[in-house]
Structure formats: C-alpha cells, structure tokens
C-alpha cells in the first residue's frame, strides 16, 4: 500500500512540476563505448517511474504465483493429513478385530503425515510382528527410532516387547536392564522386566524390582508374593544345581531370618536336601519350622527322612498332637515313623487314632499292614475291605 501511495505522489509531482520545468528540462548524457544516450531530466524521471511500475507489476505477479504454489502445497499436505487421520482410525478398528495385516498397512501408510507418526510406526511394528513378519517390524521400528530423537523410551519398550515375542529372551533382558537405568519405576518397563527375568532365570534381579513394582502399583500383592516365592525357589534350584547340598546350606545360611521363616521355603529346602541325601539338614529345617508354626506340608515330609535318632521325630510329633489336637495327619505320620522302626503295636494304635477322626483308605491299608505283622490276619482282611469300599466310586460299587 505504501508503494502505491508513493507512486501516486510521484505522478502528482510530475503533473504539477512538469509544466513548470518545461522550459528548464536540463540535459542528461549517458555515454558507453559504443553508444551515447541523450535525454532530458524530465524524460529520465518518466523512464524511472515507468521502470518502477514494471517492477511493481512483476513483483505482484510473482507474489501471486508463489502464493498459489503455497496454497496448492498446503492443500496437498492437508489432504494427506486428513487421509492419515482417517487411516489411523480405521487401523484402530482393525486392531480390535485382530486383523494385523490391515493394521500394519493402515498405520504405516501416510504415517509421516499422521498426528503422532511415532505412534503409528510403533503400532505398525507390533502388528507386523503379530503376523510373523520380523523384517517389516524392524523397518517400522527403525523409522520410529529416527522420529523419536531424544525420547527413545517408547521405541526401546516396543523393541523389548518384540524380542520377547520372538523368544529372544537374553536380548530382551539386556534391553530391560538399560530401560530400568533410565526409568526404574515405569510400569510397562517393570512388566517387561518381570517376563524377561523369569525367562532367563534372573531371580535376584526379579527380587530387586519387587519394591519398585509395589511403588508403581504394578500387579497386586498376591501376584508380587507369588513372584517372590518363585524367585526364591529359583535361587534354591540354582544353588542345588551348582553345588548340591553344600550350596543349599550356604544359600540358606546367608538368607535373613525373615526369609528362613517362610514355610514355603522351608518345605522347598527340605525336599531338595532330601533329594541330595542330606537328611540331617532337612530334619533341622522341618523341626525348626514346626516349632515356630505348624504346617501340614512340613509334617508330610517327615516319613521321607532317614533320621539318625528316630525318637527326636516321634517326640516332636507327639508334642504337636498335644498342641494341635488329634489331627489325622499327625497320627498317620507318627504311625509311619513307628512302622519304619518295627514298632508295630504302637503304629497300629496311631493308625486307629487317625481313623477315629475320619475314615481313610490309605490309613486302613497301613493299619492292615501292621496287623499282618502282629499276626492278626482276620482283622487285617477286614481293614483292607473297609479301605477298598472307601476307595471305589459309587458307580463301581456292586448293586444289591
């Protein structure tokens, strides 16, 4: 607008001053090697004004051309963005349907023009993995890494998830370790770490992340307790596999008292020590566990022990009977220990006490065995018949 105003001022000045200077136009000479250009001052002014008009016209024309190009480019870009938005919505619907081929196709097509290109490529990578195309999954993941710049956490999380899907467990564990250094309380990182550590047997690492899982609200208390027990059992198995009973005992001694008081660990330790033929250590753990808290699982292991002093186990069982009452399991276990030492009469009394609490086919069979040793075949046959009647299902019983 200013240029147009200036042009009009020049024209007005020319109209006003032209006649006044008609007799005093002056003289202008422009001389070159081959040409001489002669004109008046008024003529030179008119040529300059015309030149400015031409320049203004050219500028206006170029501005319209470039503005049209920008509008055309904007129209094409806007059209691609609209198409990418529509395809992303369609891809999410296909994801709900489980059509991973269409999910990948729609997410990747025009992904660079989507509102969140990074998200599109990550979902396309997971969809490609779901249909088993690892090459395409890697390509999408690489493109996502280029777009992520300094925020690589979503890309690394997706990479670990894909590695777990391919059973590349050790690679996934390496990726999880790096992610935990950057985001130690990220819920999805912790969930992936749980899978990677269980698959690779990294039990100490699994125990280390349990407090972070609790603070981040990952899983409930029951699930975390189950993970803790699984990790402990894994460590016990590792110690046994590497150093046998000596490794088990060393590992057990190095655990805090609170850990050693866990009944499930006491049972697991006793079982593995019995497998290693270390009955003395197993007996100590069982008796210590029962002394602190009664548990049927500890009692059922007692008949498997080869004790150097059977009276210790028998005394412990009788003490538990006084404390817990006439539990059938306690009487049966006592009877089994007495049978091992050929105390048939005492064993038969123990089995009778167990049967007094409730009928049981196994106890009838054990009692029959003791009666055979006591030379009472008739009653032994009766006990076996009672046990057999208990063991058969109603459909197996003969009809009267």
């Amino acid at each position: 607008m200013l240029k147009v105003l200036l042009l009009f001022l020049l024209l007005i000045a020319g109209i006003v001053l032209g006649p006044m200077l008609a007799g005093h136009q002056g003289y202008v000479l422009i001389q070159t090697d081959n040409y001489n250009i002669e004109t008046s001052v008024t003529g030179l002014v008119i040529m300059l004004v015309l030149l400015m008009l031409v320049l203004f016209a050219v500028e206006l024309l170029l501005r319209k051309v470039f503005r049209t190009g920008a509008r055309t480019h904007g129209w094409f870009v806007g059209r691609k963005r609209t198409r990418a938005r529509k395809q992303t919505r369609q891809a999410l619907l296909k994801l709900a349907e489980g059509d991973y081929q269409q999910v990948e196709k729609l997410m990747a097509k025009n992904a660079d023009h989507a509102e969140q290109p990074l998200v599109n490529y990550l979902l396309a990578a997971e969809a490609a993995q779901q249909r088993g195309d690892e090459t395409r999954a890697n390509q999408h993941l690489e493109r996502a890494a280029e777009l992520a710049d300094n925020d690589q956490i979503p890309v690394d999380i997706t990479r670990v998830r894909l590695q777990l899907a391919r059973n590349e467990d050790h690679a996934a564990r390496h990726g999880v370790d790096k992610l935990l250094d950057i985001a130690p309380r990220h819920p999805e990182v912790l969930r992936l770490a749980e899978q990677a550590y269980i698959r690779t047997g990294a039990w100490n690492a699994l125990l280390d992340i349990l407090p972070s899982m609790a603070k981040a609200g990952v899983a409930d208390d029951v699930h975390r307790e189950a993970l803790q027990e699984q990790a402990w059992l894994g460590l016990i198995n590792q110690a046994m596999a590497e150093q046998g009973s000596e490794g088990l005992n060393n590992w057990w001694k190095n655990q805090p008292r609170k850990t050693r008081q866990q009944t499930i660990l006491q049972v697991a330790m006793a079982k593995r020590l019995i497998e290693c033929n270390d009955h003395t250590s197993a007996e100590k753990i069982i008796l210590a566990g029962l002394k602190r808290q009664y548990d049927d699982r500890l009692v059922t292991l007692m008949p498997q022990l080869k004790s150097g002093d059977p009276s210790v186990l028998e005394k412990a069982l009788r003490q538990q009977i006084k404390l817990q009452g006439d539990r059938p399991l306690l009487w049966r276990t006592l009877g089994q220990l007495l049978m091992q030492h050929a105390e048939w009469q005492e064993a038969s009394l123990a089995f009778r006490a167990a049967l007094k609490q409730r009928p049981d086919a196994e106890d009838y069979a054990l009692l029959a065995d003791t009666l055979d040793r006591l030379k009472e075949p008739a009653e032994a046959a009766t006990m076996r018949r009672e046990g057999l009647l208990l063991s058969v299902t109603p459909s197996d019983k003969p009809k009267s």
Side-chain angles (χ1 to χ4, degrees):
M1 183 61 108
L2 184 60
K3 294 178 181 179
V4 174
L5 180 61
L6 180 61
L7 180 61
F8 275 110
L9 290 174
L10 289 172
L11 289 173
I12 292 172
I15 294 171
V16 174
L17 296 175
M20 296 174 60
L21 298 174
H24 307 281
Q25 295 184 16
Y27 176 75
V28 176
L29 173 62
I30 301 174
Q31 186 174 21
T32 65
D33 291 340
N34 300 318
Y35 298 98
N36 290 330
I37 301 175
E38 298 177 4
T39 184
S40 65
V41 174
T42 304
L44 180 62
V45 171
I46 293 173
M47 286 190 294
L48 289 174
V49 171
L50 292 174
L51 179 61
M52 289 180 65
L53 287 173
V54 172
L55 290 175
F56 287 154
V58 171
E59 180 188 8
L60 182 62
L61 177 63
L62 291 176
R63 185 179 295 175
K64 287 185 177 181
V65 170
F66 285 117
R67 187 176 296 171
T68 302
R71 288 177 179 175
T72 303
H73 177 72
W75 181 81
F76 279 111
V77 171
R79 187 167 180 269
K80 289 182 179 180
R81 287 178 180 173
T82 302
R83 186 183 300 172
R85 192 181 301 114
K86 181 179 179 181
Q87 289 170 341
T88 300
R89 288 197 297 265
Q90 292 174 343
L92 293 175
L93 293 175
K94 292 297 180 180
L95 180 63
E97 298 174 7
D99 189 350
Y100 295 109
Q101 184 173 2
Q102 286 298 314
V103 171
E104 183 203 351
K105 179 181 177 181
L106 292 169
M107 280 292 182
K109 194 173 183 180
N110 292 316
D112 290 329
H113 302 282
E115 294 180 0
Q116 295 289 337
L118 176 62
V119 175
N120 278 54
Y121 280 113
L122 291 178
L123 288 175
E126 295 210 37
Q129 180 61 46
Q130 285 288 342
R131 61 186 188 82
D133 193 340
E134 297 183 6
T135 302
R136 293 282 294 171
N138 290 336
Q139 290 174 353
H140 297 315
L141 200 60
E142 289 174 5
R143 179 57 181 151
E146 294 174 1
L147 294 171
D149 292 330
N150 295 327
D151 186 16
Q152 291 290 324
I153 291 179
V155 179
D156 291 338
I157 287 175
T158 304
R159 181 177 289 108
V160 170
R161 193 181 291 119
L162 297 185
Q163 288 168 341
L164 288 171
R166 300 169 188 171
N167 294 319
E168 298 173 0
D169 300 330
H170 291 282
R173 179 185 171 183
H174 178 70
V176 158
D177 289 339
K178 290 174 60 179
L179 280 168
L180 286 173
D181 291 337
I182 303 170
R185 293 187 183 177
H186 193 294
E188 184 61 18
V189 172
L190 291 168
R191 279 188 281 267
L192 294 173
E194 173 191 334
Q195 297 181 51
Y197 290 155
I198 289 175
R199 291 190 186 186
T200 57
W203 306 117
N204 281 318
L206 181 60
L207 289 173
D208 290 341
I209 66 171
L210 289 178
S212 296
M213 291 178 67
K215 292 178 181 178
V218 177
D220 54 21
D221 293 339
V222 175
H223 182 73
R224 289 194 297 271
E225 288 176 5
L227 287 178
Q228 187 178 52
E229 292 176 2
Q230 185 177 3
W232 279 334
L233 295 176
L235 289 171
I236 289 175
N237 291 332
Q238 282 183 354
M240 176 181 172
E242 292 171 2
Q243 297 179 346
S245 63
E246 183 179 355
L248 285 171
N249 285 311
N250 290 335
W251 182 86
W252 189 249
K253 291 175 183 177
N254 291 330
Q255 300 309 304
R257 179 181 298 178
K258 186 177 180 180
T259 301
R260 294 199 305 270
Q261 290 176 348
Q262 298 289 328
T263 302
I264 188 170
L265 292 185
Q266 293 170 347
V267 173
M269 278 292 299
K271 284 182 177 179
R272 284 151 183 80
L273 286 168
I274 291 172
E275 291 177 20
C276 294
N277 205 32
D278 188 353
H279 295 271
T280 302
S281 298
E283 181 179 323
K284 289 179 181 178
I285 292 175
I286 291 173
L287 293 178
L290 286 173
K291 186 176 181 180
R292 182 179 178 277
Q293 182 179 2
Y294 175 81
D295 193 281
D296 286 348
R297 292 170 293 179
L298 292 171
V299 175
T300 55
L301 293 175
M302 296 178 77
Q304 301 178 34
L305 294 172
K306 297 177 182 178
S307 177
D309 186 2
S311 62
V312 174
L313 294 176
E314 294 171 12
K315 182 180 178 180
L317 281 171
R318 294 187 186 278
Q319 181 66 25
Q320 288 296 325
I321 290 172
K322 291 180 181 179
L323 294 173
Q324 307 298 331
D326 290 331
R327 290 177 179 262
L329 177 60
L330 290 172
W331 282 114
R332 176 201 290 178
T333 305
L334 178 60
Q336 289 174 310
L337 293 178
L338 292 169
M339 285 182 69
Q340 291 177 5
H341 311 122
E343 298 181 25
W344 309 115
Q345 186 61 43
E346 291 294 324
S348 67
L349 295 177
F351 292 131
R352 290 181 191 277
L355 288 168
K356 186 178 179 181
Q357 305 304 316
R358 52 94 182 91
D360 182 86
E362 184 177 351
D363 287 347
Y364 274 120
L366 291 170
L367 177 57
D369 291 340
T370 60
L371 292 172
D372 283 335
R373 296 285 186 169
L374 292 171
K375 308 300 183 183
E376 298 180 18
E379 189 177 4
T382 301
M383 295 299 102
R384 287 194 174 89
R385 184 167 58 253
E386 292 292 335
L388 181 62
L389 290 175
L390 284 175
S391 62
V392 297
T393 60
S395 59
D396 294 330
K397 291 182 180 180
K399 297 180 180 180
S400 56

